[in-house]
Amino acid sequence: MIVVLFGPPGSGKGTQSEKLVEKYHLVHLSTGALLRREITQASQLGLSLQGILDRGELVPDTLMTELLFGQLKRYPGQALLLDGFPRTRAQAEALQATAPVDLALVLSAPLDLVLERLSGRILCHRCGATYHRSHNPAREAGVCDRCHGPLSVRPDDQPEIVRQRYSVYLAQTQAALAFYQNSGKMRTVDGARSPNQVFQELCQAVDLYKVNA
Ligand code: AMP
């Protein structure tokens, strides 16, 4: 089973991915996390990616598909959750030709909500756990509860970059979404609701798919 999770920045993809992965025993492939790992390791690739991510732009399709397909090969026959891929029409087409998607889940969220949510987000660069300064603070300031790694603000969570990422989502990722629109495989959920409500609706969609599969 291949499930893809779409949504603008701050729509709750990371939070919902964690819950879905645990409940349905999926392998979680987050392209954003993979790219951030390359940057942290300061590899040749990472150095060339840093500016692209910091500006809120998309990494070129050829590079992204190569990175993602390399990961797919590591998990043959396993149920996967793709978080952050595809993000363009070309990526959706490449994925369809290699590993067709069974279910496309979409989280919707308006820009003002996204700006509010991301303004206090902090991230553990070691394990990827996310916190929020006021809604979900770490037990000890600046230290990850889970792995004790250092927490910091994502450079691309600054408001002007969030606006840029949101408009990239509307311009480019909506085109990828259109690919699934009439396939009967797409389900949109209001990402502005509470995390538990959103999770319940996502589970309904997954369960329905499993019943009919
Ligand atoms: P995310 O963690 O999903 O918000 O992704 C962070 C950043 O990684 C995005 O703003 C893009 O610069 C880059 N990125 C992640 N996934 C993709 C993708 N599928 N295609 C192009 N760029 C991506």
Side-chain angles (χ1 to χ4, degrees):
M1 174 169 76
I2 298 194
V3 181
V4 295
L5 186 58
F6 286 97
S11 58
K13 293 194 300 296
T15 306
Q16 296 301 330
S17 290
E18 279 190 20
K19 288 168 169 279
L20 289 167
V21 161
E22 194 184 339
K23 175 160 178 165
Y24 294 103
H25 309 291
L26 306 167
V27 175
H28 182 201
L29 292 179
S30 157
T31 44
L34 288 170
L35 294 167
R36 282 188 290 277
R37 194 188 308 154
E38 291 289 339
I39 291 171
T40 306
Q41 289 169 352
S43 64
Q44 194 65 34
L45 175 63
L47 293 174
S48 65
L49 294 169
Q50 175 106 57
I52 299 176
L53 266 76
D54 286 355
R55 289 190 298 275
E57 295 167 1
L58 290 185
V59 172
D61 287 330
T62 43
L63 209 157
M64 268 334 289
T65 44
E66 204 176 299
L67 191 71
L68 195 268
F69 292 170
Q71 290 292 314
L72 293 184
K73 281 198 199 126
R74 296 178 57 193
Y75 305 102
Q78 294 200 50
L80 304 175
L81 177 69
L82 306 187
D83 161 8
F85 189 100
R87 257 175 154 106
T88 64
R89 175 91 189 182
Q91 290 178 15
E93 285 170 358
L95 185 62
Q96 187 65 19
T98 308
V101 166
D102 297 297
L103 191 57
L105 300 172
V106 187
L107 299 177
S108 63
L111 178 61
D112 53 353
L113 175 70
V114 158
L115 285 167
E116 195 274 319
R117 279 185 182 167
L118 296 188
S119 68
R121 178 162 80 168
I122 27 185
L123 175 82
C124 173
H125 286 270
R126 193 182 292 161
C127 75
T130 53
Y131 300 84
H132 191 280
R133 280 210 186 88
S134 42
H135 310 320
N136 176 30
R139 283 194 292 271
E140 188 184 339
V143 181
C144 179
D145 293 351
R146 204 193 279 170
C147 76
H148 304 292
L151 302 180
S152 60
V153 174
R154 261 174 66 168
D156 58 349
D157 276 352
Q158 296 163 58
E160 67 276 23
I161 306 296
V162 171
R163 285 178 197 279
Q164 159 71 7
R165 287 162 61 206
Y166 195 91
S167 68
V168 165
Y169 178 81
L170 293 183
Q172 308 213 39
T173 308
Q174 296 282 9
L177 268 181
F179 193 80
Y180 304 102
Q181 207 105 44
N182 299 316
S183 66
K185 294 178 178 166
M186 194 172 121
R187 170 83 186 266
T188 301
V189 172
D190 180 2
R193 303 173 73 190
S194 77
N196 284 342
Q197 286 172 321
V198 172
F199 184 55
Q200 269 180 17
E201 286 194 41
L202 293 176
C203 290
Q204 279 170 10
V206 177
D207 292 340
L208 188 64
Y209 165 76
K210 287 174 112 156
V211 166
N212 295 321

